[in-house]
Amino acid sequence: MSDPAVRFSASDAIGVITLNRPDNRNSMTPELLDAFTAVSAEARAADVRCVVVTGTGSCFSSGADFKSTLQREGDRRAPHERSYAMYESFLTLLDLGVPVIGALNGHAVGGGFGLALVCDLRIGARDAKYGANFVRLGLAPGMAISYLLPRLIGLARANELLFTGRLVDGAEAEQLGILNRAVAAGDVLG
């Protein structure tokens, strides 16, 4: 049996949600989204005081897996409803009644960056890249990034990153206020 796409564990009142597709940079696929929905429900039901979200391998999440179809076959909802459905499982973190800490072990790009922004606090790898590169792909930002990012770093800086698709390293992400702390990759969960 293969490893689950997302895992949940709890110890000492700390819940940990781990994206577990390191071979594909923890990118978003239907099975990852379904698994995230299930572990998010586990986290809500668990007796924990906080939840940490992290990834396996060297990447937190590269966002959508463009080799996969995220939108379900035969889905007759309006385009904006189908788009929201792709991110809905990650937005369930907002329903947790405890703080959510993003332990960004590596790159957080696109939808993976959006997942990081949903967290209450973010500790990230100093050498990783962070940002919403949607415009470089001819797409509008998803995952509530255009709502959350300006609230974290201000409208002008958010516009610069969103309109250019520029990625920043951990040191700049900390300086801008995207990360609470930028540390060595090995210390992200430490």
Side-chain angles (χ1 to χ4, degrees), residues 16-146:
V16 179
I17 294 173
T18 306
L19 305 178
N20 189 33
R21 296 188 70 237
D23 53 324
N24 275 339
R25 298 178 322 269
N26 296 315
S27 59
M28 300 170 189
T29 62
E31 60 269 13
L32 186 130
L33 298 176
D34 292 344
F36 198 93
T37 299
V39 300
S40 180
E42 281 184 66
R44 278 192 306 281
D47 185 22
V48 295
R49 293 179 49 154
C50 74
V51 171
V52 175
V53 181
T54 193
T56 54
S58 61
C59 191
F60 174 70
S61 177
S62 62
D65 184 340
F66 290 109
K67 296 177 200 163
S68 175
T69 303
L70 286 176
Q71 296 185 359
R72 312 289 180 170
E73 295 285 327
D75 191 341
R76 297 190 181 276
R77 291 179 286 185
H80 70 281
E81 292 170 330
R82 289 193 310 268
S83 181
Y84 172 76
M86 288 189 307
Y87 300 117
E88 187 174 16
S89 61
F90 295 124
L91 296 174
T92 61
L93 291 179
L94 298 172
D95 296 330
L96 293 174
V98 297
V100 178
I101 302 168
L104 314 178
N105 54 297
H107 306 307
V109 179
F113 181 64
L115 174 57
L117 295 183
V118 172
C119 298
D120 298 307
L121 301 170
R122 287 158 300 286
I123 309 301
R126 189 177 296 115
D127 295 331
K129 296 291 184 184
Y130 303 92
N133 62 342
F134 294 94
V135 70
R136 291 180 180 207
L137 304 171
L139 302 170
M143 189 58 200
I145 292 172
S146 60

Side-chain angles (χ1 to χ4, degrees), residues 109 132-141 160-168:
V109 179
N133 62 342
F134 294 94
V135 70
R136 291 180 180 207
L137 304 171
L139 302 170
E160 176 190 347
L161 295 181
L162 294 173
F163 294 164
T164 65
R166 184 171 72 87
L167 303 180
V168 298

